[in-house]
Amino acid sequence: MVMVVVSAAAMAQKPACFNLWPKGAPNKNGDEQDTAKVWVYLPDKKMATGRAVVICPGGGYQHLAMDHEGHDWATFFNQEGVAAIVLKYRMPHGNHKVPIADAEEAIKMVRRNAAQWNINPNDIGIMGSSAGGHLASTIATHSEKNAKPNFQILFYPVITMMPDITHKGSRTNFLGEDPKKKDEREYSNDLQVTRVTPRAWIALSDDDHSVLPANGVNYYVELYRHDVPASLHVYPSGGHGWGFRSAFRYHIEMVLELKAWLKSF
């Protein structure tokens, strides 16, 4: 099993890159050089399951860890027959509508191109790590119609915007220096779970001191409470930000558990 994982990670796939907003982006963030893009990694047609996942890297809503939380995942998903769409979303600079618009448009874009890319429009998920996990869970709990994902995959996610257990940098960058109480609650995504929230796979480390594990655990509890199928994986160590890095002590276990979950539905 170890050889299978290592050999899959070593294979490369050349993606197609697209400007997400060729006619201009909505919801300006004050940085005209910050453009949203997607890289589309499609699996071999013989292996394609029709499933796709939009990947949102983390970085505290300040920068993006595009490799180990983005591009490095593409081969893994392609080997599972899943199309991987890596999203470079724009930084909010206090305007939370900016990254939300980018993530929603990425899902819509995949659905618009579903036939051409051999994708089932009803089997498109969203994945995110850290602040990207907050963005992914925001889309999972808030978005509707063509922007709503069918499943979600979250790694050590920021979930709440409440000041007690949030990641303060992500909260400030997303909502601004002095957010309104209603916005704190609105984007505390554990409080926004309903019975139609898509199924979830959540992974984190017990010793994560950057984004407290309570974020992901509380989200899982709310999913369970609302009868949403969910799988929670808490690893004994690893800290924060391991992504697809093989140096993460539980990398092999994590990959096999995610593979099993993807085959479960």
Side-chain angles (χ1 to χ4, degrees), residues 41-202:
Y41 295 82
L42 298 179
D44 187 281
K45 288 185 177 181
K46 295 179 180 178
M47 298 181 64
T49 62
R51 178 169 289 171
V53 60
V54 173
I55 302 173
C56 305
Y61 284 124
Q62 183 181 45
H63 64 276
L64 294 177
M66 291 298 299
D67 291 328
H68 69 283
E69 292 179 352
H71 296 291
D72 292 351
W73 277 99
T75 297
F76 165 79
F77 283 111
N78 283 181
Q79 287 292 308
E80 297 303 302
V82 179
I85 294 84
V86 179
L87 170 64
K88 176 192 173 293
Y89 54 93
R90 292 169 296 149
M91 298 298 95
H93 299 302
N95 183 356
H96 59 271
K97 294 180 180 179
V98 170
I100 291 175
D102 291 352
E104 288 189 333
E105 180 62 17
I107 292 178
K108 292 176 183 178
M109 182 183 192
V110 177
R111 288 203 166 105
R112 288 197 302 268
N113 291 278
Q116 179 182 347
W117 293 345
N118 197 26
I119 289 170
N120 177 355
N122 297 313
D123 198 5
I124 299 171
I126 192 163
M127 169 177 147
S129 302
S130 193
H134 181 263
L135 179 58
S137 62
T138 297
I139 301 305
T141 53
H142 291 69
S143 301
E144 299 177 343
K145 298 180 180 179
N146 286 342
K148 187 178 182 67
N150 301 104
F151 60 92
Q152 53 183 316
I153 300 171
L154 308 176
F155 289 92
Y156 37 86
V158 178
I159 292 294
T160 185
M161 290 286 108
M162 295 300 182
D164 51 350
I165 62 170
T166 190
H167 179 255
K168 293 181 180 179
S170 296
R171 175 177 178 266
T172 298
N173 291 327
F174 187 70
L175 293 179
E177 291 286 350
D178 188 22
K180 297 178 180 178
K181 294 293 184 183
K182 67 174 185 177
D183 288 335
E184 287 181 344
R185 182 175 180 84
E186 176 69 19
Y187 294 103
S188 292
N189 296 326
D190 52 327
L191 303 180
Q192 306 306 324
V193 172
T194 70
R195 291 182 182 273
V196 297
T197 299
R199 68 178 65 232
W201 190 89
I202 307 165

Side-chain angles (χ1 to χ4, degrees), residues 4 8 15 19 29 41 48 55-56 64 72 88 121 128 162 166 193 212 219 221 227 233 243 251 259:
V4 169
N19 185 339
N29 67 357
Y41 295 82
I55 302 173
C56 305
L64 294 177
D72 292 351
K88 176 192 173 293
M162 295 300 182
T166 190
V193 172
L212 297 181
Y219 192 60
V221 169
D227 296 321
H233 304 261
H251 176 79
K259 284 163 66 81

